Amino acid sequence: MKNILVAIDFDENEQLLIDKAFQLAEAFNSKIWLVHIAAPDPYFVGYDVGPQYIRDSRASELRKEHRLLQEYTAKLREKEVSAEGLLIQGSTIEMVIEESKKLNIDLIIVGHHEYTFIYKAFVGSVSENIIKKSKIPVLIIPLE
């Protein structure tokens, strides 16, 4: 197992996922890819981008997320683990699958939140959909 992808959504539980990835990377001498999939830009999905303050706010949010990814990556490197951070815009499930293929990922690590039946019926679960679509093994870490 040479490459581990950790899907991070910045919901304050990412450290649990990173810690598990670190344990595996240390045991197997693997590289960790911390990946955050940001929502696509509004023009990408057919909407106008809106006023300048909305674009500025979005840019600020993306810079913050990128900075956090770099901080997590730096901490892993301090522990002498090979790590890279990627911030990608797009549809979460499709982008996780696509990037996993591009990076020759051997294991995908995602967190799982327990949701109500109604939420699952209308929105679904990212982790469940990744499991359904991935040809790569997926490690689900329960969150909460």
Side-chain angles (χ1 to χ4, degrees):
M1 180 169 34
K2 292 295 175 195
N3 291 292
I4 300 170
L5 183 142
V6 182
I8 295 180
D9 63 3
F10 296 119
D11 66 355
E12 299 180 7
N13 289 309
E14 59 270 1
Q15 193 60 54
L16 181 62
L17 302 176
I18 293 168
D19 290 345
K20 182 53 71 177
F22 171 73
Q23 291 173 353
L24 292 169
E26 196 173 44
F28 294 101
N29 194 28
S30 305
K31 180 173 187 172
I32 298 174
W33 294 87
L34 301 179
V35 177
H36 173 65
I37 311 297
D41 285 332
Y43 64 84
F44 178 74
V45 291
Y47 297 103
D48 291 333
V49 291
Q52 185 63 41
Y53 76 90
I54 291 176
R55 289 184 293 220
D56 292 344
S57 173
R58 181 74 177 127
S60 175
E61 181 181 322
L62 289 172
R63 281 191 300 273
K64 178 184 172 192
E65 291 171 346
H66 186 261
R67 187 173 52 254
L68 283 170
L69 273 174
Q70 296 309 311
E71 288 173 11
Y72 290 136
T73 301
K75 287 178 185 175
L76 286 168
R77 289 179 183 158
E78 287 172 6
K79 297 178 184 179
E80 298 183 11
V81 170
S82 179
E84 295 289 336
L86 297 173
L87 177 80
I88 303 164
Q89 286 185 279
S91 174
T92 303
I93 296 156
E94 286 76 15
M95 295 308 296
V96 166
I97 301 299
E98 186 178 314
E99 287 303 309
S100 296
K101 290 176 186 174
K102 284 182 192 175
L103 300 170
N104 296 316
I105 297 299
D106 300 302
L107 177 68
I108 300 170
I109 298 178
V110 295
H112 177 72
H113 296 276
E114 190 60 42
Y115 294 108
T116 64
F117 172 76
I118 299 297
Y119 182 91
K120 286 182 182 178
F122 288 103
V123 179
S125 166
V126 170
S127 57
E128 289 173 6
N129 283 310
I130 289 173
I131 290 171
K132 288 178 187 176
K133 294 184 178 191
S134 178
K135 302 285 189 252
I136 299 166
V138 179
L139 175 62
I140 304 293
I141 307 293
L143 302 174
E144 298 167 316

